[in-house]
Amino acid sequence: MYTTSTAFLEALQEAGVSYIFANLGSDHPSIIESLAIAKQENKKLPTLITCPHEFVALSAAHGYAQATGEPQAVIVHVECGTQNMGGAIHNAAKSRVPVLIFAGSSPYTQENELIGGRNEFIHWIQDVFDQRGIMRGYTKYDNEIRTGANVKQLVHRALQISKSDPMGPVYLMGPREAMEEKTEPVTIRKELWEPISPAALPPQNMKELTNDLLTSKKPLIVTSYLGRNAKAVNELIRLSESLAIPVIESIPHQMNFPSSHPMNCGSYWNVDKQVDLLSDADFILVLDSDVPWVPMKNKPSDNATIYYMDVDPLKEEMPLWYIPSKHFFKVDSYTALQQINDYIEEKCVINQDMVSTRWKHYSNYHNRQKKERRNLEKALNNQITPEYLTACVRELVDENTIVLNEGITNYGVISNHIEVDIPESYYGSGAGSLGWNGGAAIGMKLAHPDKTVINLTGDGSYLFSIPSTVHWMAKRYNTPFLTVIYNNQGWKAPKHSTLGVHPYGIANQNQDFHVSFDPPAKLAEIASAAGDAHSMIVKKQSDLKNALIEGLRQVKEGRSAVIDVYIPHVYSDKNEIPTEKELIK
């Protein structure tokens, strides 16, 4: 039979979806049957990836979309499966990742009136009043499939919305009766359902913007995720080089600007001190950044002229957010930078003496930063510091490598010391629910099977990723990757947060933060048991490089590897507690 489910799966195929990351349940008989019929008839449909946990399913779709820009599909089981995606839907929403999520819903008939009616105990238990409401705070669009007559239109509309800036997840649900319904095939012209075109800068603002930029003495560019479009990176380089503008990154979760470029002046995470380039700047261009700085700790001068350009410059889904700026522009960064560069080249006179002076100054700044990083990377007393560990990982990275960063309290160390130069070679989740790293590594490996994926994660983030599911999937679907755990045997972030508010409190006096994982688990062996991954524990600096080299060799031969590296304990950093003098300052 040709059913609503058949049409639904066809629509995904027509829209260019390659994979369905699925955790199937009692609401999916029609989809399972349609997939079986398609296989028997040798009919092309998206490949179904079985995911034993919904969080990993959505994280894998998230990673695939980050690596390609193309949304994939996730299928979950009614409201229980919807809720089991948990923080992964937060991540997809906050990272503005396109993905289509489909969930069944409990049947709405119970006396055999229609095919697919209730015939199991669970169909009453899983019936809720507002299943779509579970997702509504995180999705751009939600709807219910009620008939096969227009299911293709709903799928294409949902994906059109998902792929239009600001991109994000969309949610469809369908009860068994609707999905089992016989229907007639519908022909869809895909070209009529394309996402909205990229937004450009208003021409009337170009003169004012470029005049402010060209007359500034200390301009600065701040970005976090401009590199989601690789072409925007080249335009950013073009602007930076033409005017000698330094670039700094705030919590970068893309490769936005080459680390080796003389105008790259580093990145920062939750820094506890003022960044001098930010406070000195008289003109700041913010490009694609949700949190360009944390005002309580680190902010620009009150006299700085700020321009804000972003696909979502007002952060409309953030209840508390404001950064006073001279202008906010809702634009595509690649398009806007191209406009600015062309306008400057064609219509503006550049003070080359000032540019030359700036270039020398910020090149020296860049070189000093690099020297400071190298000093921090030196091995001390056979102890493995996060800086040393990242430097050792950096030796494994080549032009064919993708690096994932979910190091959390070591996020800034990784982003500064990994030193990537190639667009689309570095990613963070862009959000706040931990555990993205494992599923994302699978998604990125599916997207780029020829690339080497290196996943850098804290021990807490590793546990949140549901490694048993991740590594079972990695083995089954031949997506090997290298995981390096920055294992400080606990959650350091809550300790940092407590010290930030109560630096001289009782928790600090007693070193009682409730964040240690002692006694430590054998984290790498989880991956070994679930997915036959190569596993190693490294506690000595002298063993580290050989362990990493062996792990990478295993991955290149088709087997995942997890290297569990012990760095200083979560309770070992006495020097992170500020003195009273430092606190007053």
Side-chain angles (χ1 to χ4, degrees):
M1 292 197 308
Y2 189 90
T3 65
T4 303
S5 289
T6 309
F8 171 77
L9 294 168
E10 282 184 358
L12 295 178
Q13 175 69 23
E14 293 164 359
V17 171
S18 300
Y19 292 98
I20 298 171
F21 299 94
N23 189 291
L24 300 169
S26 63
D27 44 337
H28 300 130
S30 58
I31 286 179
I32 294 171
E33 183 69 9
S34 292
L35 288 166
I37 293 171
K39 183 177 181 180
Q40 181 172 287
E41 296 177 349
N42 200 27
K43 178 180 178 180
K44 181 69 173 174
L45 288 177
T47 300
L48 188 135
I49 303 291
T50 299
C51 304
H53 197 287
E54 295 86 348
F55 181 94
V56 182
L58 184 48
S59 296
H62 183 153
Y64 192 102
Q66 282 181 295
T68 65
E70 293 300 321
Q72 302 305 291
V74 174
I75 294 181
V76 298
H77 178 47
V78 294
E79 44 80 52
C80 292
T82 297
Q83 295 193 86
N84 227 22
M85 288 185 290
I89 186 61
H90 157 95
N91 288 342
K94 300 303 180 181
S95 190
R96 301 181 186 85
V97 166
V99 59
L100 185 146
I101 301 162
F102 170 80
S105 63
S106 287
Y108 52 76
T109 59
Q110 66 176 30
E111 296 186 44
N112 205 30
E113 300 97 323
L114 296 170
I115 296 174
R118 296 185 183 189
N119 62 356
E120 299 178 38
F121 152 80
I122 204 67
H123 291 153
W124 281 267
I125 305 304
Q126 291 175 335
D127 192 7
V128 297
F129 284 109
D130 189 13
Q131 181 175 314
R132 288 156 59 189
I134 298 168
M135 301 287 278
R136 200 161 291 133
Y138 301 93
T139 54
K140 292 185 66 181
Y141 171 79
D142 65 86
N143 206 342
E144 180 177 344
I145 298 169
R146 297 183 176 92
T147 173
N150 68 350
V151 65
K152 284 194 174 184
Q153 290 90 331
L154 291 186
V155 169
H156 282 273
R157 170 168 163 74
L159 286 168
Q160 180 184 40
I161 293 171
S162 182
K163 291 177 68 175
S164 295
D165 275 332
M167 294 188 284
V170 292
Y171 183 74
L172 295 175
M173 56 176 267
R176 295 207 313 184
E177 295 91 338
M179 301 308 292
E180 294 278 3
E181 175 190 294
K182 287 183 64 175
T183 190
E184 296 296 323
V186 173
T187 300
I188 291 289
R189 291 175 57 192
K190 181 185 174 182
E191 67 272 15
L192 301 181
W193 299 86
E194 291 298 313
I196 60 172
S197 299
L201 282 169
Q204 64 270 23
N205 294 109
M206 189 62 70
K207 184 176 181 181
E208 180 185 21
L209 187 160
T210 54
N211 181 67
D212 285 347
L213 176 57
L214 291 169
T215 57
S216 64
K217 294 181 179 179
K218 295 182 178 181
L220 176 68
I221 294 171
V222 181
T223 186
S224 300
Y225 50 85
L226 171 137
R228 69 185 192 132
N229 183 344
K231 294 186 294 185
V233 176
N234 293 329
E235 289 297 326
L236 179 56
I237 294 170
R238 183 182 166 198
L239 178 61
S240 174
E241 289 182 347
S242 68
L243 300 179
I245 307 175
V247 177
I248 57 176
E249 298 172 280
S250 174
I251 321 168
H253 50 97
Q254 306 278 344
M255 201 305 288
N256 301 301
F257 195 72
S259 67
S260 62
H261 195 285
M263 292 298 101
N264 186 312
C265 291
S267 69
Y268 48 81
W269 193 60
N270 284 339
V271 294
D272 291 321
K273 61 181 181 180
Q274 178 67 52
V275 173
D276 53 356
L277 262 64
L278 192 62
S279 55
D280 290 346
D282 57 2
F283 176 98
I284 300 173
L285 176 58
V286 180
L287 291 164
D288 288 339
S289 181
D290 288 329
V291 186
W293 48 79
V294 177
M296 187 183 290
K297 302 177 180 180
N298 172 41
K299 64 179 181 178
S301 161
D302 292 338
N303 298 320
T305 299
I306 301 172
Y307 280 77
Y308 217 103
M309 298 186 191
D310 197 291
V311 292
D312 178 22
L314 294 180
K315 316 301 174 191
E316 295 177 32
E317 295 300 317
M318 295 184 187
L320 177 62
W321 188 96
Y322 50 86
I323 292 178
S325 300
K326 185 173 183 178
H327 286 292
F328 293 88
F329 295 111
K330 189 171 186 175
V331 295
D332 169 72
S333 289
Y334 167 64
T335 303
L337 282 170
Q338 197 173 40
Q339 287 178 278
I340 294 169
N341 285 325
D342 290 347
Y343 186 91
I344 290 173
E345 284 186 7
E346 294 170 9
K347 300 186 177 182
C348 298
V349 177
I350 299 173
N351 184 337
Q352 294 297 346
D353 289 339
M354 185 165 63
V355 169
S356 179
T357 300
R358 269 205 305 258
W359 186 273
K360 183 178 180 180
H361 174 75
Y362 293 117
S363 294
N364 289 336
Y365 188 100
H366 166 87
N367 291 332
R368 287 197 304 273
Q369 279 194 328
K370 188 170 184 177
K371 185 177 180 180
E372 289 170 5
R373 289 198 297 269
R374 293 296 176 269
N375 287 332
L376 290 170
E377 291 168 3
K378 293 177 181 177
L380 299 173
N381 303 320
N382 205 27
Q383 185 181 59
I384 302 172
T385 64
E387 292 83 1
Y388 179 76
L389 173 53
T390 307
C392 292
V393 172
R394 187 176 68 231
E395 294 178 9
L396 308 180
V397 175
D398 60 21
E399 68 280 357
N400 207 39
T401 303
I402 295 174
V403 177
L404 277 61
N405 179 1
E406 199 170 21
I408 309 308
T409 50
N410 290 307
Y411 194 100
V413 170
I414 293 170
S415 65
N416 274 310
H417 289 260
I418 201 66
E419 296 183 357
V420 291
D421 282 339
I422 301 172
E424 300 177 335
S425 65
Y426 166 91
Y427 297 93
S429 78
S433 185
L434 304 187
W436 155 90
N437 67 90
I442 291 172
M444 291 189 185
K445 186 65 177 178
L446 285 170
H448 295 297
D450 58 324
K451 302 261 188 190
T452 300
V453 177
I454 299 180
N455 170 32
L456 308 181
T457 176
D459 48 328
S461 299
Y462 176 79
L463 287 168
F464 275 124
S465 74
I466 314 170
S468 55
T469 290
V470 165
H471 286 280
W472 177 86
M473 289 174 59
K475 180 175 175 59
R476 174 163 177 172
Y477 295 105
N478 191 28
T479 56
F481 59 95
L482 174 63
T483 296
V484 180
I485 303 174
Y486 287 58
N487 191 344
N488 61 10
Q489 303 102 69
W491 285 313
K492 198 169 184 179
K495 179 185 175 184
H496 275 175
S497 297
T498 304
L499 290 174
V501 180
H502 302 287
Y504 301 107
I506 302 302
N508 181 24
Q509 291 177 28
N510 297 334
Q511 286 291 288
D512 189 11
F513 297 95
H514 307 285
V515 293
S516 77
F517 291 164
D518 297 321
K522 295 180 179 179
L523 300 180
E525 292 186 13
I526 300 171
S528 179
D532 189 34
H534 170 76
S535 62
M536 289 189 69
I537 296 175
V538 179
K539 296 184 179 181
K540 295 181 179 179
Q541 176 268 326
S542 55
D543 297 334
L544 179 59
K545 289 191 177 183
N546 286 338
L548 292 172
I549 291 169
E550 175 60 18
L552 184 63
R553 185 186 71 79
Q554 294 277 346
V555 169
K556 289 184 178 292
E557 292 181 359
R559 183 187 184 195
S560 285
V562 180
I563 313 299
D564 184 7
V565 183
Y566 279 53
I567 60 176
H569 193 278
V570 65
Y571 281 143
S572 68
D573 295 334
K574 304 297 184 182
N575 60 347
E576 70 182 350
I577 303 168
T579 65
E580 187 172 358
K581 184 178 179 181
E582 289 171 334
L583 187 67
I584 293 171
K585 183 179 179 181

